[in-house]
């Protein structure tokens, strides 16, 4: 499936920004520049989940430990799934969805005893997506550089030293499913090739390059005290050693082939061969340019850190922040950008979308199967995609939805009887198998993402060819499934407010009603944009009128159910009835202030502390309520340093690990990505027919600047502020849509000119001659 039409055209000026970013990145990488977005630590990682650092190129991810005695690089491929594959012909009912699988590890035995190592530093520079380990051992300065290249499709690890012949050691490749591991006759390449019971074939190849010294087959003796294949490669007295890894499966995103494609051998071989010929330096240059073309679009400055803070490792800064209540807006900005880093690293066009752990997974039985969870989690993964200027990273999710329509339609008909369209269950694998509870408005939630990709990007061909047909078929489901009461009201018949176990399915649950409303609104606007399908559009608009609407309950709360069951003591992590506030737009401060106030009452009752993702959602809610300080309080509560990895559903354990990965617990990436969306909502909103500048700026960020955030209608925004007041703004219009900009009580209306930038001062007066700067 080629979605190239859905990729937005990148205006020249973004390219220029990217080039500047490349130059600044190169400058910054030399020192400890405060502009650098870097996570760093004084010790190697001991634990995968809480300490190791992630790199990824979309389909492949790796977690790096930075060991000096034994280095471990654990890796994944997004399509390696156990469980069944769903097909339509013949259609067989099945709910064995298996789980996302771990792939393998690279172990490098270097033998540099930790107690003799000095000047150790392990860092992940997220401006460049490069992981680096440096240290001294017995008078030699060692350096490991690792990155995951999207264009080359490989992971590269380079070991260098400041003295010749410094490297002697061994490399092993392991596999999590007992594949055969072979070593090529020239000892340069290790290869694992296996098959999972469900028919998925997979392969990894690891090429070992060296300068100086020699390579030979490692003897079966294993100093690692961990199970590895009998053969590895040993290197002796090398000046440098580089490892090039690629992996793949025969997964194909096509149910008509039962999700199976070609054996990955040829593609993996080609990627590794090509990368070996290119060499590490050229691969690194290409990787940094590719990564920065996405990452460099947004810069965020929330305040300069003191030299004392800068001298501290990320773990120490988090400890100060969590335990000593130290203000650290620079760390907060880093956490925002870390979400963008993660999304770029695990969600690139051409492969599966980010699952519960993105792509990083060290277990064959990950929590909740590492699945695509439809009642909040996979959607939250994609909340920042458009607003944080990563529209391309949204494409894997859109392709995934597209790939499942037909299989989901079959199952929907089995379950609901004579209905058109489709919806889905809560737990989902990559190949159409679903399990656990039905989530009737789940497909409407997916449809919101298809709409948002258009709303921000304004690619009318994408809307016509990809998004609209899907929106329409999901509307068909609701046309057939909604129940009309004698008084004319339309209600969803069998709803469940996730995951409130106490109640049986019932009519008119707020979560369902709001999602159907959102679907209808998006479909109406889509038909208007296309100028087509008037009759259907009007029919949907009439149905939307009749939908049961959100209502206010006896204690001022937004009612979660039609029957008043809301308990002010209920601290449930799901806050599904506030969908209409965020990410929906049925409720807003500007248009429905009373309902917005009811959301505030509900949120106060629910409380702040919960699982990681729940805290992230609440940042977005408070931002939409225009309460920057409360949103910031939630951000602080999410940036809570924790270590526990056992599953907890309640209010303890939610936060982040020292590697900044979000803790549900355990690790779940939705909280990282949902938080990044939250920052966007604090700084810029565009859901209510206008662009609001700094709608929820907290007192904790009195001075700052942001560049590159996106607004619906095809806009990019740059702002500076000082003493908690806007000082300047540049609105860049890509598509020439009219726009209304607001800041506090001021408003400004734009012309309709594509590819134009409008420079505004703090009073929203245009600055400069002629006011419009065409590109
Ligand atoms: C939902 C949540 C859980 C968890 C799971 C993956 O079911 O209720 O907290 O995040 O998804």
């Amino acid at each position: 499936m080629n979605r190239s039409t859905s990729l937005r055209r990148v205006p020249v000026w973004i390219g220029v920004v990217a080039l500047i970013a490349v130059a600044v990145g190169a400058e910054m990488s030399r020192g400890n520049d405060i502009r650098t977005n870097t996570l760093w630590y004084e010790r190697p990682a001991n634990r995968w989940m809480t300490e190791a650092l992630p790199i990824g190129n979309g389909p492949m991810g790796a977690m790096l430990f930075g060991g000096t005695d034994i280095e471990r690089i654990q890796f994944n491929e997004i399509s390696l799934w156990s469980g069944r594959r769903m097909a339509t012909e013949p259609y067989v009912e099945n709910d064995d969805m298996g789980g996302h699988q771990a792939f393998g590890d690279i172990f490098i035995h270097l033998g540099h005893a930790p107690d003799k190592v000095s000047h150790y530093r392990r860092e992940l520079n997220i401006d460049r997506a490069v992981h680096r380990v440096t240290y001294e051992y017995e008078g030699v300065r060692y350096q490991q550089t690792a990155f995951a290249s999207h264009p080359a499709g490989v992971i590269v690890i380079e070991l260098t030293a400041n003295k010749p012949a410094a490297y002697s050691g061994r490399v092993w490749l392991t596999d999590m499913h007992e594949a055969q591991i072979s070593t090529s006759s020239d000892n340069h390449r290790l290869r694992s090739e296996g098959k999972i019971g469900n028919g998925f074939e997979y392969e990894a190849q690891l090429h070992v390059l060296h300068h100086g010294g020699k390579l030979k087959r490692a003897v079966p003796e294993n100093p690692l005290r961990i199970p590895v294949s009998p053969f590895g490669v040993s290197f002796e007295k090398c000046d440098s050693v580089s490892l090039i890894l690629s992996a793949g499966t025969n997964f194909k995103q096509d149910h008509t082939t039962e999700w199976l494609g070609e054996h990955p051998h040829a593609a993996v071989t080609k990627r590794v061969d090509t990368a070996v010929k290119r060499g590490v330096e050229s691969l690194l240059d290409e990787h940094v340019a590719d990564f920065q073309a996405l990452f460099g679009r947004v810069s965020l400055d929330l305040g300069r850190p003191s030299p004392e803070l800068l001298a501290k490792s990320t773990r120490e800064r988090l400890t100060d922040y969590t335990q000593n209540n130290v203000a650290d807006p620079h760390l907060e900005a880093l956490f925002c950008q870390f979400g963008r880093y993660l999304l770029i690293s695990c969600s690139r066009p051409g492969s599966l979308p980010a699952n519960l752990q993105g792509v990083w997974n060290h277990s064959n039985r990950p929590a909740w199967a590492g699945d695509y969870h439809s009642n909040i989690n996979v959607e939250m993964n994609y909340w920042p995609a458009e607003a944080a200027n990563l529209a391309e990273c949204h494409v894997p999710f859109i392709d995934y939805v597209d790939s499942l329509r037909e299989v989901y339609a079959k199952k929907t008909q089995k379950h609901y009887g004579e209905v058109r369209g489709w919806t889905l269950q809560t737990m989902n694998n990559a190949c159409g198998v679903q399990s656990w509870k039905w989530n009737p408005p789940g497909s409407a939630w997916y449809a919101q993402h298809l709409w948002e990709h258009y709303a921000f990007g304004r690619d009318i061909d994408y809307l016509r060819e990809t998004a609209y047909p899907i929106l329409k078929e999901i509307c068909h489901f609701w046309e057939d499934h909604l129940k009309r009461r004698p008084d004319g009201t339309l209600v969803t018949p069998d709803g469940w407010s996730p995951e409130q176990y106490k109640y049986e399915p019932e009519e008119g649950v707020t979560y369902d009603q709001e999602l159907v409303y959102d679907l209808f609104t998006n479909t109406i606007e889509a038909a208007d944009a296309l100028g087509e399908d008037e009759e259907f559009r009007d029919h949907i608009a009439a149905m939307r009128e009749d939908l049961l609407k959100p209502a206010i309950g006896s204690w001022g709360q937004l009612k979660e159910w039609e029957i008043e069951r809301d308990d002010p003591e209920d601290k449930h992590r799901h806050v599904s009835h506030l969908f209409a506030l965020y990410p929906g737009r049925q409720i807003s401060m500007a248009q429905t202030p009373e309902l917005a106030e009811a959301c505030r009452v509900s949120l106060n009752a629910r409380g702040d502390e919960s699982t990681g993702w729940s805290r992230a959602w609440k940042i977005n809610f408070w931002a939409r309520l225009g309460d920057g300080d409360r949103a910031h309080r939630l951000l602080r509560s999410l940036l809570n340093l924790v270590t526990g990895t056992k599953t907890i559903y309640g209010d303890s354990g939610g936060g982040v690990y020292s590697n900044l990965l979000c803790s549900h617990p355990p690790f779940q990436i939705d909280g990282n990505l949902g938080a990044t969306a939250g920052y966007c909502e604090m700084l810029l909103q565009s859901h209510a027919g206008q662009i609001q500048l700094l709608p929820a700026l907290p007192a904790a960020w009195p001075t700052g600047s942001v560049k590159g955030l996106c607004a619906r209608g095809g806009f990019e925004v740059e702002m500076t502020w000082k003493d908690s007041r806007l000082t300047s703004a540049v609105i860049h219009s890509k598509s020439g849509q009219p726009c209304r900009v607001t800041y506090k009580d001021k408003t400004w209306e734009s012309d309709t000119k594509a590819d134009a930038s409008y420079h505004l001062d703090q009073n929203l007066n245009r600055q400069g001659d002629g006011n419009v700067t065409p590109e």
Side-chain angles (χ1 to χ4, degrees):
M1 256 160 285
N2 183 352
R3 275 298 150 263
S4 55
T5 51
S6 66
L7 298 185
R8 293 187 302 178
R9 279 173 301 119
V10 180
V12 177
W13 74 280
I14 297 186
V16 173
V17 171
L19 282 177
I20 295 168
V22 171
V24 173
E27 166 74 13
M28 290 189 304
S29 69
R30 283 196 277 278
N32 218 342
D33 192 299
I34 52 164
R35 288 166 300 174
T36 313
N37 285 303
T38 299
L39 288 68
W40 72 274
Y41 304 85
E42 289 162 325
R43 278 188 296 281
N46 281 319
R47 299 174 71 201
W48 182 94
M49 191 172 292
T50 63
E51 295 176 335
L53 292 169
I55 59 171
N57 67 6
M60 287 182 72
M63 291 285 271
L64 298 141
F65 285 68
T68 61
D69 180 13
I70 298 164
E71 168 60 321
R72 176 182 177 199
I73 296 132
Q74 187 276 332
F75 66 93
N76 292 101
E77 206 280 345
I78 191 73
S79 67
L80 192 66
W81 267 81
S82 61
R84 292 298 179 122
R85 294 171 279 113
M86 206 67 190
T88 47
E89 300 297 341
Y91 176 83
V92 185
E93 193 77 37
N94 207 302
D95 66 358
D96 170 17
M97 50 168 265
H100 183 246
Q101 300 291 285
F103 208 119
D105 294 83
I106 300 168
F107 288 100
I108 313 172
H109 181 235
L110 294 167
H112 301 159
D115 55 351
K116 292 197 198 147
V117 163
S118 65
H119 301 92
Y120 181 91
R121 179 179 163 109
R122 157 175 86 95
E123 68 171 40
L124 177 64
N125 178 328
I126 63 168
D127 289 311
R128 294 159 50 81
V130 174
H131 180 271
R132 187 158 281 161
V133 183
T134 47
Y135 57 90
E136 280 177 31
Y137 175 75
E138 294 191 335
V140 180
R141 184 121 191 100
Y142 289 90
Q143 176 166 296
Q144 182 215 94
T145 304
F147 58 94
S149 163
H150 176 67
V154 294
I155 288 175
V156 179
I157 302 117
E158 185 194 44
L159 307 173
T160 54
N162 69 348
K163 292 202 177 142
Y167 275 108
S168 295
R170 297 165 219 212
V171 182
W172 276 268
L173 178 67
T174 75
D175 174 82
M176 288 291 282
H177 298 89
E178 294 163 8
Q180 289 295 319
I181 299 184
S182 57
T183 312
S184 62
S185 54
D186 65 2
N187 297 319
H188 276 283
R189 195 166 301 187
L190 295 165
R191 175 168 158 232
S192 68
E193 191 196 346
K195 186 167 181 173
I196 302 184
N198 62 3
F200 275 134
E201 294 168 316
Y202 64 91
E203 179 162 331
Q205 292 186 28
L206 177 68
H207 194 95
V208 186
L209 283 164
H210 66 112
H211 280 111
K214 61 178 181 196
L215 294 187
K216 55 180 195 183
R217 191 164 301 211
V219 289
E221 162 208 332
N222 169 10
L224 303 184
R225 296 179 304 279
I226 31 182
V228 292
S229 60
F231 293 106
V233 168
S234 65
F235 43 93
E236 273 175 35
K237 295 201 164 35
C238 295
D239 304 336
S240 69
V241 177
S242 301
L243 308 178
I244 294 179
L245 171 77
S246 195
T249 75
N250 62 342
F251 171 82
K252 188 174 176 197
Q253 199 167 45
D254 181 356
H255 72 85
T256 64
T257 64
E258 294 190 30
W259 309 94
L260 296 182
E262 281 174 26
H263 190 282
H265 176 73
V268 171
T269 307
K270 190 166 171 216
R271 288 198 290 270
V272 177
D273 286 354
T274 310
V276 167
K277 279 197 204 101
R278 302 256 322 265
V280 172
E281 205 173 315
S282 135
L283 290 169
L284 178 60
D285 289 347
E286 179 190 51
H287 158 68
V288 172
D290 167 73
F291 180 82
Q292 290 193 327
L294 292 168
F295 188 83
R297 290 176 189 168
V298 172
S299 57
L300 176 64
D301 179 357
L302 297 178
R304 303 270 151 132
S306 64
E308 295 79 59
L309 272 181
L310 264 191
K312 292 186 174 182
S313 71
T314 304
R315 177 200 290 276
E316 285 175 294
R317 281 172 74 171
L318 265 174
T319 308
D320 279 353
Y321 184 89
T322 303
Q323 287 164 18
N324 306 326
N325 216 20
V326 168
D328 195 346
H330 184 251
L331 179 70
E332 291 168 347
L334 176 72
F335 187 59
C336 172
Q337 290 283 32
F338 187 55
R340 296 184 67 248
Y341 166 85
L342 290 172
L343 191 63
I344 300 169
S345 303
C346 71
S347 187
R348 293 290 197 107
S351 42
L352 282 162
N355 64 37
L356 278 178
Q357 297 183 183
V359 57
W360 299 279
N361 164 30
H362 67 318
S363 162
N364 290 337
R365 300 194 58 185
W368 295 282
D371 76 335
Y372 297 103
H373 226 77
S374 72
N375 67 6
I376 175 69
N377 317 88
V378 70
E379 292 93 341
M380 185 180 281
N381 281 356
Y382 286 93
W383 286 352
E386 301 294 333
N389 214 333
L390 297 174
E392 291 88 337
C393 299
H394 214 168
V395 173
F397 184 60
I398 293 166
D399 284 349
Y400 166 80
V401 173
D402 196 7
S403 76
L404 293 165
R405 293 154 68 187
E406 286 161 31
V407 281
Y408 282 0
K410 285 258 179 190
K411 192 150 187 194
T412 301
Q413 280 147 25
K414 279 260 172 195
H415 184 74
Y416 288 101
E418 287 295 303
V419 284
R420 293 166 297 159
W422 55 274
T423 192
L424 70 163
Q425 288 167 253
T426 304
M427 295 190 72
N428 297 272
N429 78 3
C431 320
V433 180
Q434 316 180 46
S435 71
W436 206 48
K437 298 220 181 252
W438 279 86
N439 177 21
S443 57
W445 203 336
Y446 283 8
Q448 186 192 46
H449 285 260
L450 280 99
W451 165 253
E452 293 281 49
H453 191 60
Y454 170 74
F456 281 85
R458 308 298 293 191
D459 178 342
I460 198 81
D461 295 333
Y462 154 79
L463 181 65
R464 184 179 299 107
E465 287 154 27
T466 303
Y468 190 70
I470 301 179
L471 263 63
K472 192 167 173 178
E473 72 195 20
I474 299 170
C475 286
H476 287 328
F477 171 74
W478 288 104
E479 282 181 274
D480 295 350
H481 188 57
L482 281 168
K483 178 178 161 187
R484 195 172 285 278
R485 287 183 177 158
D487 68 356
T489 311
L490 284 171
V491 288
T492 59
D494 48 5
W496 187 57
S497 197
E499 296 180 10
Q500 298 275 13
Y501 284 95
K502 278 188 258 171
Y503 311 110
E504 292 298 313
E506 66 183 56
E507 284 177 13
V509 170
T510 307
Y511 161 73
D512 293 350
Q513 297 291 140
E514 290 177 346
L515 265 152
V516 178
Y517 185 97
D518 191 72
L519 169 72
F520 287 176
T521 303
N522 296 337
T523 306
I524 294 162
E525 291 184 18
D528 287 345
L530 291 169
E532 291 168 6
D533 224 1
E534 208 176 315
E535 204 180 311
F536 181 73
R537 177 232 179 266
D538 290 348
H539 168 62
I540 290 298
M543 287 180 72
R544 188 180 67 164
E545 276 302 300
D546 294 342
L547 281 173
L548 180 71
K549 304 290 186 317
I552 300 172
S554 63
W555 44 278
Q557 85 284 13
L558 194 86
K559 283 167 64 188
E560 190 163 352
W561 300 269
E562 188 184 15
I563 300 166
E564 182 155 342
R565 306 181 190 285
D566 306 85
D567 175 356
E569 299 304 315
D570 181 2
K571 306 289 175 206
H572 203 290
R573 63 196 177 284
H574 284 265
V575 208
S576 313
H577 53 312
L578 303 197
F579 168 87
L581 178 65
Y582 186 91
R585 55 196 164 114
Q586 187 180 359
I587 298 178
S588 68
M589 300 270 288
Q591 284 153 0
T592 57
E594 284 164 15
L595 291 172
E597 188 49 40
C599 291
R600 188 188 305 274
V601 172
S602 293
L603 275 174
N604 276 326
R606 228 36 163 215
D608 293 356
E609 262 81 74
S610 191
T611 57
W613 63 257
S614 180
R615 296 174 199 221
W617 197 353
K618 290 165 189 162
I619 300 172
N620 290 277
F621 286 139
W622 285 108
R624 283 270 171 106
L625 290 172
D627 192 335
D629 287 338
R630 190 66 186 272
H632 185 259
R633 188 168 116 191
L634 260 304
L635 174 62
R636 278 206 85 104
S637 126
L638 179 59
L639 267 171
N640 168 39
L641 178 60
V642 295
T643 53
T645 56
K646 239 181 93 202
T647 304
I648 302 175
Y649 286 95
D651 61 3
S652 60
V656 294
Y657 298 120
S658 68
N659 54 13
L660 293 188
L661 291 177
C662 181
S663 164
H664 175 289
F667 162 45
Q668 213 170 276
I669 205 163
D670 44 15
N672 286 101
L673 302 171
T676 297
Y679 286 81
C680 296
E681 289 301 313
M682 289 164 80
L683 298 171
L684 187 76
Q685 291 177 19
S686 63
H687 60 287
Q690 56 192 16
I691 297 178
Q692 276 180 277
L693 307 179
L694 303 180
L697 187 70
W701 303 340
T703 302
S705 65
V706 66
K707 189 176 190 168
L709 294 186
C710 293
R712 290 168 188 81
F715 299 96
E716 270 191 43
V717 177
E718 183 180 337
M719 289 176 283
T720 59
W721 63 94
K722 195 164 178 277
D723 301 329
S724 299
R725 285 197 59 81
L726 184 78
T727 42
S728 72
V730 182
I731 317 282
H732 181 79
S733 169
K734 288 186 270 189
S735 69
Q737 286 295 304
C739 89
R740 185 160 178 268
V741 179
T742 71
Y743 173 62
K744 296 192 188 282
D745 54 358
K746 302 186 183 78
T747 61
W748 173 83
E749 309 276 342
S750 84
D751 309 334
T752 50
K753 199 165 168 139
D755 274 330
S757 292
Y758 305 93
H759 296 252
L760 308 175
D761 67 16
Q762 57 197 315
N763 296 312
L764 300 190
N765 292 322
R766 284 188 190 178
Q767 292 176 325
D769 297 339
N771 298 326
V772 175
T773 319
E775 298 307 305

